[in-house]
Structures are given as C-alpha cells and as structure tokens.
C-alpha cells in the first residue's frame, strides 16, 4: 500500500542527524517509494517545476 504525505523540513533535518530515528525511518519509506511526498502548487513553483 502506498501512502501520500507532506514531509516537513524538520523531519528531513532530524533524519540527517540520526538516520536510525523515526524521521530516518520515514525518509527510508520515502526513498523506497512506500511514502510518496506531496507538494502543493506553491512549492512546485518555488522549485521551478510549474509555470507561474
């Protein structure tokens, strides 16, 4: 089963500081494709992936 989630920057930072933590597990799921990160339109524009 796939899950969709917005992953906050604090999760990213925490995962990088301690990969064996819960945030690290969340990122492992995201990298494996079990969790699909969700972006809103504004984030897509900021990342240059959408036309404004």
């Amino acid at each position: 089963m796939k899950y969709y989630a917005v992953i906050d920057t604090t999760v990213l930072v925490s995962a990088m500081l301690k990969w064996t933590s819960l945030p690290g597990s969340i990122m492992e799921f995201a990298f494996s494709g079990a969790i699909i990160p969700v972006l809103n339109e504004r984030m897509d524009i900021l990342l240059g992936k959408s036309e404004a």
Side-chain angles (χ1 to χ4, degrees):
M1 178 180 230
K2 293 196 182 237
Y3 295 95
Y4 296 85
V6 174
I7 299 175
D8 188 76
T9 53
T10 57
V11 173
L12 296 172
V13 172
S14 294
M16 296 308 294
L17 292 174
K18 188 171 181 185
W19 192 252
T20 59
S21 63
L22 182 59
S25 297
I26 292 169
M27 294 310 301
E28 284 190 49
F29 283 128
F31 288 134
S32 72
I35 293 177
I36 300 169
V38 178
L39 299 174
N40 67 22
E41 185 177 327
R42 181 161 186 235
M43 292 172 80
D44 285 344
I45 291 169
L46 292 173
L47 295 172
K49 296 183 178 182
S50 178
E51 295 180 18

